[in-house]
Amino acid sequence: MHILPKLHYWWQAKRSSFWFVPTLIVLDAVVLATLLITLDATVELHVVERWPLLFGAGADGARGLLTAVASSMITVAGVVFSITLVALALTSSQYTSRVIRNFMRDRVNQAVLGVFVGIFAYCLVVLRTIRGGDEGGFVPTLAVLGGLILAFVGIAVLIYFIHYVSTSIQASRIIAAAAQETLAAVDQLFPETLGDHADDDNKANLARALAMQAWVAVPAERTGYIETVDADALLGVARAHGTILRMDRGIGDFVVAGTPLVSAVDPGDLDDTITAELNAPYVVSRQRTVEQDVAFGIRQIVDIAMKALSPGVNDTTTAVMCVDYLTAILVRLAPRRIAAAHWPDQGKLHVIARGPSFAGLVSESFDQIRQNAGGNVAVLLRMLGALETIATRTLSPDRRRVLGQTVEEIAEAAERTIDAPHDRARLGNRLTRVREVLATAPVVFVRAHQDGLEVR
């Protein structure tokens, strides 16, 4: 029941490591060397007679060539690894340590390291088979030529890697990569539109209806961050025991072993078997991931903005860029149905979910930036512009009310920290415009379809 989520978690962990992809490339290089050596040993290709200048090297010449290629590739591999570590350290200190995982899982970084180590392994395998003089005389000409070609491939990869690293540590690329990953998670987790006036973010009515129930807490078995939850498995456990489950900890929350993870209505005798069944759908890890946790993607961008606004860095442009990409994420979220408060099965309630809300994601995006942007007119103006843009994308009164409250919080921060009359006037004009947008009906978006027009 829980195999697929566990396999997905395993794959994500391996994909984020520096050893998995390089190991696969090394194995491929060994297989390639073996195939070419076997071809040289079993098939008479007569390539030496046809192209003596290209394939006519003796055993000593072949050994010298492969030795030079192997030694240079392993040296370059060490340089590449050192450059990667420097880039990671620079990114962690300049932006935030939360984005280091994005560098580690970058396929280019993994593939480049694998290419150089793979060429080294290829040369070792071919060197082992070269025989000369009294040893029987065997030079795998195709395999030696393959080593020469791979050496030129390594040179091209090194040049590309230097260019790639120089661009990958730029603030715009790091922020855009985090935003792109978060937008992909939004599209995967929240594909449905909200509707004209529906909003299921508020769980107050459901909570009141179940307030009188006797809940029994099921403790967590591990300490860490909840990375994923298998919704189907959790629903299946609730259905099998004929109970209602309430998630006390949601995706992205930190849970301590022995503290409540799930609560159940009359689950019977709470033995180790039931506890294990209710813990099995949860994947608890040492760190958060974006795949099922949109708030963590937002958190990465907010952390970069916080570092940019710190007195030691004072990089307003980077902070403004972070606000822009947060706007893109919230614009995508504004018309989406974020999370159901409960998971029914054939009309019967089984699981009360704990997940993100639009208000929580807006607060995650702007609260700390607002608190650290006191006196920074550029950032405050850009935040007001962001809220104006987001407001045009939702018809929900509750969500527009959340945006209005955030606008007033920014207005209070500006009133308290901005002294220059000209700057106060600019902020006042923008505040007036944003309040007007929130007070009027939002723009209705019309999209053409084959069967007519869809209005949302």
Side-chain angles (χ1 to χ4, degrees), residues 171-419:
S172 58
R173 188 183 181 97
I174 294 173
I175 300 169
Q180 183 178 4
E181 187 179 22
T182 307
L183 289 171
V186 169
D187 292 337
Q188 179 183 356
L189 297 174
F190 315 126
E192 299 179 358
T193 56
L194 186 65
D196 290 342
H197 300 289
D199 193 347
D200 59 357
D201 290 345
N202 189 356
K203 307 174 185 177
N205 294 332
L206 183 63
R208 283 194 294 268
L210 297 171
M212 301 305 294
Q213 298 287 346
W215 296 95
V216 177
V218 178
E221 294 179 340
R222 295 184 59 189
T223 297
Y225 290 97
I226 298 176
E227 185 173 320
T228 62
V229 178
D230 187 347
D232 294 334
L234 196 62
L235 189 62
V237 174
R239 188 190 306 116
H241 290 277
T243 185
I244 301 175
L245 300 178
R246 183 185 65 198
M247 296 172 59
D248 293 329
R249 294 288 184 273
I251 294 175
D253 290 343
F254 186 80
V255 62
V256 179
T259 61
L261 177 66
V262 181
S263 294
V265 175
D266 191 20
D269 294 333
L270 189 63
D271 54 14
D272 294 340
T273 301
I274 297 179
T275 300
E277 288 181 358
L278 291 174
N279 274 268
Y282 288 81
V283 174
V284 180
S285 179
R286 291 183 234 175
Q287 59 184 357
R288 299 167 66 181
T289 58
V290 181
E291 281 76 15
Q292 289 193 16
D293 188 3
V294 173
F296 181 62
I298 293 174
R299 177 77 263 164
Q300 294 181 53
I301 301 175
V302 171
D303 284 346
I304 296 174
M306 297 275 290
K307 185 66 71 70
L309 291 171
S310 64
V313 178
N314 195 21
D315 186 358
T316 298
T317 302
T318 298
V320 169
M321 194 181 304
C322 291
V323 174
D324 291 339
Y325 279 101
L326 290 171
T327 306
I329 295 170
L330 292 175
V331 163
R332 187 75 62 87
L333 279 166
R336 302 291 181 92
R337 187 181 301 276
I338 290 184
H342 57 283
W343 303 343
D345 180 48
Q346 297 180 353
K348 185 176 180 181
L349 177 64
H350 281 296
V351 177
I352 302 174
R354 181 187 180 94
S357 66
F358 184 75
L361 294 175
V362 171
S363 176
E364 183 82 19
S365 300
F366 292 133
D367 280 1
Q368 288 190 326
I369 296 179
R370 167 181 53 81
Q371 293 163 4
N372 288 270
N376 195 319
V377 179
V379 176
L380 294 175
L381 282 172
R382 190 58 63 95
M383 291 175 67
L384 290 173
L387 293 167
E388 179 182 352
T389 303
I390 298 166
T392 62
R393 293 290 294 164
T394 178
L395 295 167
S396 168
D398 289 338
R399 295 187 177 185
R400 292 170 69 83
R401 193 177 304 113
V402 168
L403 296 174
Q405 180 180 350
T406 306
V407 168
E408 297 308 318
E409 291 171 351
I410 295 174
E412 187 275 333
E415 180 71 22
R416 177 168 39 84
T417 60
I418 303 297
D419 297 325

Side-chain angles (χ1 to χ4, degrees), residues 18-29:
F18 265 146
W19 64 266
F20 185 69
V21 171
T23 300
L24 293 180
I25 294 176
V26 168
L27 293 177
D28 291 340

